[in-house]
Amino acid sequence: MDCHSSVTHVLVPSAVLTASLLGSGHCALMCGGLVMSAARSSWQHFLYHVGRLASYAGLGYISGLAGENVISRLPQSVSAAAAWAVALSFVALGWIGWRKGGLHLPVPGADKINAWTVRLFRLLTDPSKPGRHYYAALIGALSIFLPCGWLYSFVLASVTLADPLKSAGIMAVFWAGTLPALVVSPWLMRRVVFLPESVLPKLSSLLLIAAGVLPILMRYVKFS
Amino acid sequence: MPVSLTPQQDLRSKKTSPFPCDHCGLPVPEFRAAAKSSGEKIFCCEGCRTVYQIITGHQLEEYYEIKKGSEFFARSQPASSVLSRYSYLDEPVVKEKLAYGSQARCMDFYVEGVHCVACLWLIERIGKLVPGVEGVQMSLGSMVAKVTLKEQGSFSSVAEGLERIGYKPHPVSEGHQARDLNSAENRREMTRIGVAGFCMMNIMILFISIYAGAEGGMLHLFRWLSGLLFIPVAVYGAAPFYRGALSSLKIREINIDLPVAGALLLGSAASVWNLVMGSEHIYFDSLTAFVFLLLSARYALKTIYQKTASQMGAGEFLIPKSALRWNPATKTSEVAAVETLLPGEFLLIPQGEIIAADGEVTSGGGYADFHMFSGESEPVKLKPGSKVFAGTVNVGDDLIIEVSASGRQTRIERLLESVQNLEKPKTVEIADAAAKRYLAVVFAGAAVLVVTSQGLSFSEAFDRALSMIIIACPCALALATPLVYRMGARAAAQRGVLLKGVSALDKLSRTRNLYLDKTGTLTYGRYQVLSWKILKGMDDLIETACLLEKRSQHPIAIAIRDYAHAVYPLMGDLSLVSDWKEVLGRGVSGKVNGKHYEIKGARADTRSGAIEASLLSSVGIFEEGDLKVLIILGDKIREDSPATAEVLKGQFEMVQIVTGDRAESGAAAAQVLGVQKFTAEMSPEDKRSILGADPFSLMVGDGANDAAAMKAASVSVAVQGSIETSFQCADAYLTTPGIGTLPELISIARRTRSVVWAALLTSLAYNLTGMVLAILGHVTPLVAAIVMPLSSLTVLVIAYAGVNLRFKK
């Protein structure tokens, strides 16, 4: 199993980093303005991203926990079936997403939740309130509540790692991939590096499919 | 759970609506666009909707503050605003050219300085700062903002407003858009090359380790990593080749993408199979190198092609690169590049300068030479309101003109574009046909090799076949040949020769017999004073003659006046003349300074010889009945004609003068030029039949008068007349009077053809050698992949140097 884990240790994080980097164009478009309103100085920008890192890693930790508990706390036969179920559902979701050009699952009550999110953020970014600039890190941390499918699909995929630390680590790698877009120059990077935003849904779908297929592959197919 | 994500590719599928997301600008999927009709904002995803709602909670000015105060995005000072600098955008002439849409209320601006979403947001809300704006739509990708005005709005105020908040707007006309599209395409190509290069280099690093003896887990990892890195190249990087091969199959014609795509697909399939099977015959390094080098070569060629294409227009060589932009308010001028001239601006054109754009004279006077458009070589008098064109020369006083068209819109550019003949040069056709057969042979050979593979393992035979196909690519044909012709055409344009398509060059290079028209081609085409001899006394009587001939329109009178003006620029006034009389066709007479003068025919001095006499007329100035001055006039042979004729005699097997004029003048001309043959008193039908009978004929003459003859000849060059009429029958047009540039044109044409053949043969030699070596097993696919583009490069260098260095100006 030695080569197998070395492959995963190298391949998976680099794949995640690349994907995150290439897809961060839309991040810049959607959140660029928010970043500007949340942070006025370099120091505040730094805080914003630190906040983001913290909550991304937190999300990863939780998803890894879920994966670990669901998959490994169950009896062997059930856990195998559960693993298969998760994997197949990912593949199915990914396939649907690929065909339809984006997964849009209507969640009941999503509008209400969104309204609260908007109100919360408005409060935090209100320019007239004093001390607003201390909120940079908080805003960054709370940005996970902005409905972003790109982020959520990575979180979902990290469930398959079934290890809270590993999942947190992968989400940190994802965070690193989004940095250039939001820090260096959104416009410049977008024109030079990034994939067209229209490709993102397909990428997300592929990611889900890979997240479903790869663990199975790793488990059952021996590499020579 | 993930809520909806961003929409699909808008161009490929119909699932997106034509509306952009009101937050990020990307296309909105159809199912989300329903709200548009009710006037609501639409978004591409929930995320954008949420952030938009957060941000719009705040006021516009706050964002302006943020932008200004944010040290993170600190920008340089906006250009100091001279607020009137955009006022020309309100001029009707300018609006006519740049504005579009219903009631011409839309105008596009390329906006500098936009680097983030907040900027976009600000610009789109400029309506809050500037009154009269209906809306602004901008996409970050193209940096172009579409401004729609309300009825009372003005474009100048919008432009000023944009500049005030720190963004510099440039009105965009059609040409800019085309250029933008072009550079967008170039960027896409560069991205493709970048991806291929990135993957190629990383794969090479991995392969070095593999070749050096990596083993076990590392070997495994490297092989699979290189396979992974190969995917972007195989799918994205090589896409143009697949498309080309597909279209080649569709139209059932072999083109060069076919072997490339074939090699790639075969190689990829074999490599992937071997990767999975654990065999060592994987070719990811060769294939990616192949793709990268080919893409780079094609891109390099395309940029050269585009550069020479843009310079091929007459504009490059007939219109100056810079002009003096005139500011009527301050009455000063500044140097401006011709590309930046816009309708409605003013230009100052000093005496003797070439006019850089089409326009209308607003002040100043003088004369301009319009012969390229009208065919008339007489300068035309200009006054305010007169129309002038780019490429004409101001031969009078300084002029101020108001620009009506510039760049590609000028009359001369549009004219040239309309007459461009796109037929392929015969040489290229021959080479094309040969290449198709060659490729067929190569494929067959490769197949045979694989099938028979005497004594070799299958994979070795496959290796050799792959190398063979890679080396065999006839890239020189597709890459270098068009380039050489373009450069030839450019060299010709540099010398003032306008060509009707590149096939003209090819046709010119095949001619052997030269037929020259006389009047206007070898001669000036009008009467000129050839000699002014004082027979008695000391006074040359030039001033007197000029005063007497001033009112006559006889060609001889005009010739005398021209001569007099050339000698004495300031002439006396007519009030000195009294009793003036003209006897039509005979002469003039009058009293000057009390003396009676007559100018009428006089006997020529027969000592000069009968032959010369036949070209001439002679006229004398009689003072009180006494012949004082003898003037000899004639249609003079151009100064440069004899020398040019000498050179031409060396270039052609036969040089002949064909003229409709009298035999004596034909003979005279022939003798002066040293040309052996001449035929005179030819009717247009005679000319046509002589030229039609000669398959290697080159006819040089007047575009208007010799049209029939020029059409009958194999190739023809026009030296006079308007460009429009000339290009209806001729293949080339000399903008400089006379035949002085003809020898150079011929040598450019011949040189071009020989360079093309040199390039093709070199490439063939390379390919054959390479293929033989590949068959014998001395060339691995990797080496083949590197060598093949190198051979294309060599050919490119030959092509470039062969024409450019030789004819560099």
Side-chain angles (χ1 to χ4, degrees):
Chain A
M1 290 302 258
D2 193 6
C3 66
H4 155 224
S5 54
S6 71
V7 169
T8 38
H9 284 169
V10 168
L11 264 183
V12 173
S14 36
V16 167
L17 183 63
T18 315
S20 164
L21 185 67
L22 293 177
S24 51
H26 189 252
C27 296
L29 274 181
M30 178 170 136
C31 294
L34 185 67
V35 172
M36 296 260 298
S37 65
R40 279 204 196 186
S41 66
S42 318
W43 174 239
Q44 286 171 24
H45 268 91
F46 177 72
L47 285 178
Y48 176 87
H49 290 297
V50 164
R52 238 172 21 108
L53 173 63
S55 49
Y56 283 10
L59 269 183
Y61 193 83
I62 293 172
S63 68
L65 259 185
E68 188 185 57
N69 286 319
V70 164
I71 294 175
S72 56
R73 289 278 170 82
L74 299 167
Q76 223 0 54
S77 52
V78 183
S79 103
W84 271 98
V86 169
L88 284 175
S89 53
F90 278 2
V91 173
L93 281 176
W95 178 249
I96 295 173
W98 178 272
R99 298 285 301 184
K100 280 187 120 194
L103 271 178
H104 29 268
L105 304 166
V107 176
D111 284 338
K112 280 249 183 61
I113 299 176
N114 251 23
W116 275 103
T117 313
V118 170
R119 224 172 285 171
L120 173 66
F121 270 92
R122 278 233 195 112
L123 207 67
L124 289 174
T125 58
D126 191 342
S128 57
K129 291 261 187 307
R132 179 184 71 97
H133 47 281
Y134 289 122
Y135 290 157
L138 188 59
I139 296 173
L142 291 176
S143 65
I144 51 171
F145 290 105
L146 297 169
C148 173
W150 185 236
L151 172 66
Y152 297 158
S153 42
F154 276 89
V155 174
L156 248 195
S158 68
V159 167
T160 60
L161 286 174
D163 179 342
L165 281 181
K166 279 199 190 146
S167 299
I170 278 293
M171 288 315 297
V173 170
F174 173 81
W175 168 87
T178 58
L179 275 186
L182 293 171
V183 171
V184 174
S185 166
W187 178 76
L188 178 67
M189 295 295 279
R190 223 185 125 240
R191 286 165 86 70
V192 170
V193 173
F194 302 138
L195 295 173
E197 286 74 24
S198 37
V199 167
L200 293 190
K202 299 252 179 185
L203 263 187
S204 292
S205 310
L206 276 179
L207 180 66
L208 283 178
I209 293 181
V213 167
L214 271 179
I216 297 179
L217 213 59
M218 302 289 204
R219 206 182 281 248
Y220 293 111
V221 173
K222 291 290 179 238
F223 287 93
S224 56
Chain B
M1 289 305 269
V3 200
S4 63
L5 308 170
T6 46
Q8 279 180 332
Q9 283 263 359
D10 46 340
L11 297 171
R12 305 276 162 81
S13 91
K14 296 173 185 63
K15 296 207 190 112
T16 54
S17 67
F19 305 111
C21 171
D22 278 315
H23 181 68
C24 68
L26 294 176
V28 169
E30 246 177 52
F31 75 96
R32 285 185 160 271
K36 184 70 175 171
S37 45
S38 57
E40 279 176 37
K41 301 281 179 193
I42 55 171
F43 303 96
C44 65
C45 65
E46 288 302 314
C48 279
R49 179 199 296 274
T50 312
V51 180
Y52 181 85
Q53 284 171 338
I54 296 171
I55 290 183
T56 45
H58 306 302
Q59 298 302 308
L60 167 66
E61 294 78 33
E62 166 60 26
Y63 273 89
Y64 182 40
E65 281 305 309
I66 290 173
K67 209 177 72 58
K68 234 174 43 172
S70 164
E71 66 178 61
F72 206 74
F73 292 101
R75 294 178 57 238
S76 51
Q77 288 295 318
S80 60
S81 45
V82 178
L83 287 182
S84 62
R85 87 216 230 89
Y86 293 109
S87 52
Y88 73 94
L89 288 174
D90 297 326
E91 306 285 319
V93 176
V94 176
K95 275 166 77 163
E96 204 187 290
K97 300 285 175 218
L98 298 180
Y100 61 97
S102 70
Q103 292 158 358
R105 288 214 206 128
C106 299
M107 197 185 283
D108 289 342
F109 289 89
Y110 179 88
V111 185
E112 258 186 78
V114 175
H115 55 257
C116 67
V117 180
C119 301
L120 192 83
W121 197 79
L122 253 183
I123 291 177
E124 289 194 338
R125 278 147 193 83
I126 195 82
K128 297 231 164 76
L129 293 176
V130 175
V133 175
E134 174 78 39
V136 177
Q137 255 172 288
M138 185 160 170
S139 71
L140 265 188
S142 67
M143 305 273 270
V144 172
K146 174 173 163 175
V147 174
T148 313
L149 292 179
K150 289 200 196 137
E151 206 174 299
Q152 66 273 34
S154 81
F155 290 116
S156 60
S157 54
V158 176
E160 280 159 25
L162 283 171
E163 197 174 280
R164 255 206 306 255
I165 59 172
Y167 302 102
K168 196 148 173 191
H170 300 277
V172 165
S173 60
E174 291 171 22
H176 287 250
Q177 281 170 351
R179 233 182 295 162
D180 271 343
L181 288 173
N182 213 352
S183 46
E185 205 191 311
N186 281 359
R187 263 198 300 276
R188 265 177 274 155
E189 289 245 5
M190 286 250 77
T191 312
R192 221 183 285 268
I193 295 178
V195 167
F198 172 83
C199 295
M200 170 186 86
M201 290 192 276
N202 282 290
I203 291 181
M204 297 270 200
I205 291 179
L206 294 170
F207 264 69
I208 289 178
S209 312
I210 295 179
Y211 287 149
E215 45 186 29
M218 295 311 262
L219 174 67
H220 199 68
L221 178 65
F222 292 159
R223 284 164 54 93
W224 281 87
L225 260 181
S226 58
L228 208 71
L229 281 169
F230 178 65
I231 296 177
V233 179
V235 170
Y236 173 61
F241 302 121
Y242 300 141
R243 265 182 261 140
L246 213 68
S247 62
S248 154
L249 290 173
K250 268 196 224 165
I251 60 177
R252 292 179 207 289
E253 253 191 35
I254 302 185
N255 69 18
I256 83 159
D257 285 326
L258 208 51
V260 173
L264 282 175
L265 287 171
L266 279 175
S268 312
S271 302
V272 170
W273 177 259
N274 288 334
L275 174 68
V276 171
M277 289 292 116
S279 151
E280 60 174 17
H281 289 272
I282 51 179
Y283 312 108
F284 300 127
D285 53 348
S286 337
L287 295 171
T288 38
F290 186 51
V291 172
F292 172 73
L293 290 170
L294 255 185
L295 283 175
S296 313
R298 275 160 69 126
Y299 183 78
L301 180 83
K302 192 168 127 187
T303 22
I304 298 182
Y305 208 78
Q306 279 170 355
K307 257 202 275 187
T308 51
S310 68
Q311 288 166 359
M312 218 185 105
E316 178 74 5
F317 306 109
L318 296 184
I319 302 180
K321 290 207 179 57
S322 64
L324 291 172
R325 187 184 279 127
W326 175 256
N327 186 334
T330 60
K331 300 230 185 300
T332 54
S333 60
E334 55 167 15
V335 177
V338 162
E339 289 86 19
T340 62
L341 296 179
L342 282 174
E345 291 185 326
F346 294 90
L347 294 181
L348 167 68
I349 303 169
Q351 184 181 47
E353 291 287 308
I354 305 177
I355 302 179
D358 290 355
E360 209 177 276
V361 177
T362 56
S363 80
Y367 294 80
D369 176 5
F370 285 100
H371 85 274
M372 284 202 290
F373 299 102
S374 64
E376 298 293 320
S377 50
E378 280 293 312
V380 172
K381 176 125 181 70
L382 302 174
K383 52 184 200 286
S386 310
K387 290 217 185 341
V388 293
F389 303 109
T392 50
V393 180
N394 173 20
V395 292
D397 298 326
D398 293 1
L399 276 181
I400 309 250
I401 69 164
E402 184 180 339
V403 177
S404 63
S406 64
R408 297 251 153 211
Q409 308 300 316
T410 55
R411 187 172 167 192
I412 190 160
E413 290 276 13
R414 283 186 291 142
L415 206 142
L416 285 174
E417 209 176 292
S418 67
V419 299
Q420 279 305 301
N421 179 354
L422 294 172
E423 77 184 44
K424 266 197 203 167
K426 189 153 165 236
T427 310
V428 174
E429 275 179 15
I430 297 178
D432 260 348
K436 291 197 179 96
R437 291 198 183 81
Y438 160 81
L439 274 176
V441 167
V442 167
F443 273 120
V448 165
L449 185 68
V450 173
V451 167
T452 60
S453 58
Q454 322 149 314
L456 295 170
S457 69
F458 177 78
S459 42
E460 263 186 52
F462 187 82
D463 270 3
R464 293 192 190 183
L466 188 62
S467 311
M468 189 178 147
I469 296 184
I470 291 179
I471 287 194
C473 288
C475 297
L477 184 67
L479 300 186
T481 321
L483 181 68
V484 178
Y485 276 108
R486 279 229 181 259
M487 293 212 264
R490 186 160 160 262
Q494 274 172 332
R495 285 155 180 79
V497 178
L498 303 175
L499 294 172
K500 190 170 156 186
V502 291
S503 56
L505 272 184
D506 201 61
K507 285 198 247 178
L508 279 168
S509 66
R510 292 171 197 278
T511 56
R512 293 192 211 153
N513 305 322
L514 177 63
Y515 297 82
L516 295 166
D517 178 50
K518 183 178 78 72
T519 313
T521 307
L522 297 169
T523 68
Y524 287 100
R526 55 178 197 272
Y527 264 118
Q528 279 187 328
V529 171
L530 299 179
S531 83
W532 192 286
K533 243 197 289 197
I534 305 173
L535 298 176
K536 282 193 200 152
M538 300 297 290
D539 196 353
D540 56 21
L541 294 175
I542 291 183
E543 200 176 340
T544 314
C546 182
L547 287 173
L548 285 173
E549 298 284 16
K550 227 175 172 103
R551 278 189 250 166
S552 166
Q553 292 309 312
H554 193 272
I556 289 184
I558 297 175
I560 291 180
R561 277 206 311 265
D562 287 343
Y563 181 78
H565 281 300
V567 174
Y568 292 125
L570 303 159
M571 292 309 298
D573 65 313
L574 273 174
S575 58
L576 295 173
V577 180
S578 55
D579 278 356
W580 186 78
K581 243 195 322 211
E582 176 173 15
V583 178
L584 277 179
R586 284 300 173 88
V588 295
S589 63
K591 263 206 175 95
V592 178
N593 286 338
K595 294 203 201 141
H596 177 84
Y597 290 92
E598 275 177 283
I599 306 183
K600 59 186 187 194
R603 242 179 45 233
D605 185 345
T606 52
R607 266 184 286 154
S608 45
I611 290 181
E612 275 182 47
S614 58
L615 271 176
L616 317 170
S617 299
S618 58
V619 149
I621 308 183
F622 295 83
E623 188 183 86
E624 306 289 354
D626 209 1
L627 177 60
K628 285 297 197 77
V629 170
L630 187 66
I631 311 171
I632 313 248
L633 309 113
D635 183 9
K636 226 179 7 179
I637 299 218
R638 289 182 191 271
E639 267 100 24
D640 56 335
S641 295
T644 312
E646 266 312 302
V647 180
L648 287 170
K649 277 197 293 190
Q651 289 183 319
F652 287 91
E653 276 174 25
M654 181 202 74
V655 179
Q656 189 180 84
I657 300 182
V658 285
T659 173
D661 215 347
R662 298 183 338 265
E664 298 89 6
S665 54
Q671 190 178 63
V672 171
L673 293 175
V675 168
Q676 298 302 82
K677 266 188 97 170
F678 75 96
T679 37
E681 290 173 40
M682 307 210 50
S683 67
E685 289 78 23
D686 293 335
K687 283 191 189 174
R688 225 187 9 231
S689 52
I690 287 199
L691 288 160
D694 182 349
F696 301 106
S697 52
L698 167 61
M699 170 78 189
V700 180
D702 184 320
N705 299 330
D706 298 317
M710 292 171 89
K711 274 210 185 118
S714 319
V715 199
S716 47
V717 174
V719 297
Q720 276 236 108
S722 75
I723 298 184
E724 276 161 306
T725 39
S726 297
F727 270 129
Q728 276 170 11
C729 54
D731 300 283
Y733 177 86
L734 306 182
T735 54
T736 49
I739 53 172
T741 47
L742 190 62
E744 270 189 310
L745 174 63
I746 299 294
S747 52
I748 289 175
R750 291 183 180 169
R751 177 76 178 207
T752 305
R753 186 149 149 253
S754 48
V755 169
V756 169
W757 277 115
L760 289 174
L761 290 174
T762 310
S763 142
L764 192 66
Y766 247 115
N767 286 3
L768 285 176
T769 320
M771 282 200 291
V772 167
L773 288 177
I775 293 177
L776 293 178
H778 295 296
V779 180
T780 64
L782 179 60
V783 174
I786 295 181
V787 161
M788 190 279 298
L790 280 184
S791 82
S792 305
L793 192 68
T794 319
V795 165
L796 271 174
V797 168
I798 293 179
Y800 195 78
V803 180
N804 255 25
L805 288 186
R806 169 81 172 76
F807 293 110
K808 196 143 186 80
K809 214 169 190 195

